[in-house]
Amino acid sequence: MTDLLPYARQWIDEEDIQAVVNVLRSDWLTTGPMVEAFEKAIAKFVGAKYAVAVSSGTAALHAAMYAAGIFKGAKVLVPSMTFVATANAVVFQGGTPVFVDVEPDTLLTDPTKLQKKINPKTRAVVAVDYAGQPCAYDALRDITSHNDLVLIADACHALGAKHNGRKVGTLADLTVFSFHPVKHITTGEGGMVVTDNPEFAELIRRFRNHGITSDHRRRAEMGTWYYEMLDLGYNYRLTDIQCALGLSQLRKLPAWIERRREIARRYDEAFADDSYVKALKVYEKTYHVYHLYVIQLNLERLKANRATIFSSLRKAGIGVNVHYIPAHLHPYYRTSFGTGTGICPVAEVAYERILSLPMFPAMTDEDVTKVIAAVKGVMEIHSA
Ligand SMILES: *Cc1c(COP(=O)(O)O)cnc(C)c1O
């Protein structure tokens, strides 16, 4: 396992390290000027008016649910093919996630199926830009506007992506990003909510700071001790140490996205006419940022199942992974919300076939060649 090429990996350089060290020598380790600088930089990069930094992508989802007014009994539509945090955030606010099936070739929310799940208790829709490809936002926006629902984008895979020339960050009422090390840029742990709505932004600023109206730095500047807690909140703050790292990482993001797209092109070419594996479909007029490169196995042409193919590739040094076990199949959701097999059949079938191949900007051309050769070799061995 020593030489395993991972499916994702951060890229930290000396500039990043220096940025962090500079903050450690400064007055503000948290609630300082780096937080605002990072927020402004992300807002500008994605084209949104407001950005609020929080301690993780999960905290960002929770804050988005709070701003969207999710309460006990409210239903929120979430795709089944996602990380559990997407659905968990609904539950944090007392809401009920309603799982929606995905399209078989993109694994993105199927708008037709989404429409059918709306009822009077539905309050919001979460779109997950799976693998780094934006959802069909025009269709989703039509549905949410028509039914007076809040549209939340879980864009943890899609920082820098575009749909019909419009940036992710401008396509929903609230958009959420993650800065976990496997994502496009990292702050160790970290997240961000962006929005054009000033009230949402203010609610989230309060929510990340115990529900308190002003932060420590603002009170210090104003020379006062007084503050008010208006609602229940959390400590979901992101530190200046982390924001300095994020700012430094952000400068490299455009080049990293280009590199991810270059790697994807090589995979696309290699698997274009392959009878054993198929890449996910990419919509026209989409700028896909490839957090993941996912293939689907053509099990009809193979003697082995996905588990066997997975371990063969791991043994060959390829750190393949599976994204995701459909959320509605986890024991917690089965037990607490009565979900189970059969409610999202497309996601369930896809789950048996998907593999994520290594995809990160520091991968070399030789790494890509090695992955392609290993996939082709393992498929030949298991050919039916
Ligand atoms: C990574 C991720 C999250 C959670 O982000 P964290 O920063 O790890 O809390 C949520 N949703 C999706 C789709 C993700 O990929």
Side-chain angles (χ1 to χ4, degrees):
M1 293 294 267
T2 44
D3 268 349
L4 195 74
L5 184 70
Y7 88 88
R9 188 164 60 200
Q10 75 274 18
W11 190 347
I12 302 288
D13 65 13
E14 282 308 313
E15 212 174 74
D16 295 330
I17 293 166
Q18 200 51 56
V20 168
V21 168
N22 290 345
V23 172
L24 289 173
R25 295 188 201 284
S26 80
D27 287 342
W28 295 98
L29 299 188
T30 190
T31 68
M34 279 298 154
V35 180
E36 210 177 301
F38 186 42
E39 288 174 342
K40 289 214 161 111
I42 290 283
K44 184 163 179 241
F45 182 80
V46 304
K49 284 203 181 110
Y50 309 97
V52 185
V54 290
S55 53
S56 69
T58 305
L61 282 164
H62 187 185
M65 293 301 157
Y66 173 77
I70 301 312
F71 55 90
K72 194 164 165 49
K75 292 191 191 279
V76 178
L77 305 185
V78 301
S80 176
M81 187 53 79
T82 188
F83 183 52
V84 289
T86 316
N88 294 352
V90 177
V91 183
F92 296 161
Q93 282 302 105
T96 301
V98 175
F99 295 100
V100 180
D101 213 351
V102 292
E103 301 170 339
D105 45 0
T106 61
L107 305 187
L108 297 171
T109 290
D110 185 329
T112 314
K113 290 184 175 160
L114 180 100
Q115 175 107 50
K116 291 193 182 124
K117 298 247 173 163
I118 294 172
N119 74 25
K121 287 195 167 155
T122 312
R123 284 287 177 279
V125 168
V126 186
V128 175
D129 299 332
Y130 179 80
Q133 161 155 241
C135 292
Y137 278 100
D138 298 326
L140 295 183
R141 184 45 103 185
D142 277 352
I143 295 169
T144 55
S145 300
H146 192 256
N147 294 281
D148 200 18
L149 307 174
V150 181
L151 179 56
I152 300 168
D154 178 343
C156 289
H157 296 187
L159 181 61
K162 289 176 213 159
H163 170 78
N164 288 339
R166 286 148 60 217
K167 287 179 180 171
V168 164
T170 64
L171 302 166
D173 298 308
L174 294 144
T175 302
V176 166
F177 298 107
S178 162
F179 308 122
H180 182 276
V182 298
K183 306 292 163 67
H184 286 84
I185 61 169
T186 190
T187 58
E189 298 281 357
M192 190 81 75
V193 187
V194 306
T195 180
D196 280 349
N197 182 325
E199 280 153 35
F200 283 167
E202 201 44 48
L203 282 171
I204 293 168
R205 278 182 207 291
R206 207 172 78 192
F207 188 70
R208 77 167 167 193
N209 191 37
H210 311 280
I212 289 171
T213 46
S214 69
D215 68 22
H216 179 62
R217 187 159 66 113
R218 235 185 284 172
R219 282 197 301 280
E221 280 165 7
M222 286 158 54
T224 179
W225 74 89
Y226 188 75
Y227 60 84
E228 282 178 316
M229 179 188 146
L230 298 182
D231 199 358
L232 189 63
Y234 294 75
N235 177 354
Y236 275 164
R237 296 185 303 260
L238 194 62
T239 66
D240 283 62
I241 306 165
Q242 292 169 298
C243 289
L245 178 56
L247 260 176
S248 178
Q249 291 256 302
L250 186 59
R251 281 184 219 119
K252 289 158 271 210
L253 179 60
W256 286 349
I257 290 172
E258 274 314 306
R259 178 60 185 155
R260 285 177 181 272
R261 288 171 56 83
E262 211 170 83
I263 294 165
R265 267 199 300 278
R266 286 206 49 209
Y267 283 151
D268 283 345
E269 279 164 24
F271 304 126
D273 302 314
D274 197 286
S275 50
Y276 306 111
V277 308
K278 207 169 97 195
L280 296 184
K281 190 182 121 184
V282 180
Y283 295 136
E284 276 174 45
K285 294 198 247 166
T286 276
Y287 187 77
H288 190 320
V289 292
Y290 293 99
H291 162 57
L292 302 173
Y293 191 93
V294 176
I295 55 171
Q296 298 203 67
L297 303 175
N298 186 359
L299 293 176
E300 291 71 21
R301 297 288 314 268
L302 294 162
K303 285 193 302 249
N305 63 13
R306 194 262 317 278
T308 305
I309 306 262
F310 177 96
S311 43
S312 299
L313 284 166
R314 281 284 178 101
K315 278 188 204 118
I318 311 301
V320 285
N321 220 308
V322 175
H323 300 94
Y324 293 97
I325 300 165
H328 71 282
L329 297 183
H330 283 287
Y332 172 77
Y333 283 105
R334 289 179 190 263
T335 309
S336 302
F337 291 91
T339 63
T341 314
I343 68 170
C344 295
V346 176
E348 291 160 24
V349 168
Y351 166 58
E352 303 293 340
R353 296 166 177 256
I354 47 177
L355 276 179
S356 304
L357 301 183
M359 169 58 85
F360 53 93
M363 266 178 92
T364 64
D365 289 342
E366 293 71 42
D367 290 334
V368 182
T369 303
K370 183 179 151 188
V371 174
I372 293 168
V375 171
K376 299 235 175 215
V378 164
M379 296 304 151
E380 286 300 333
I381 291 167
H382 297 292
S383 175

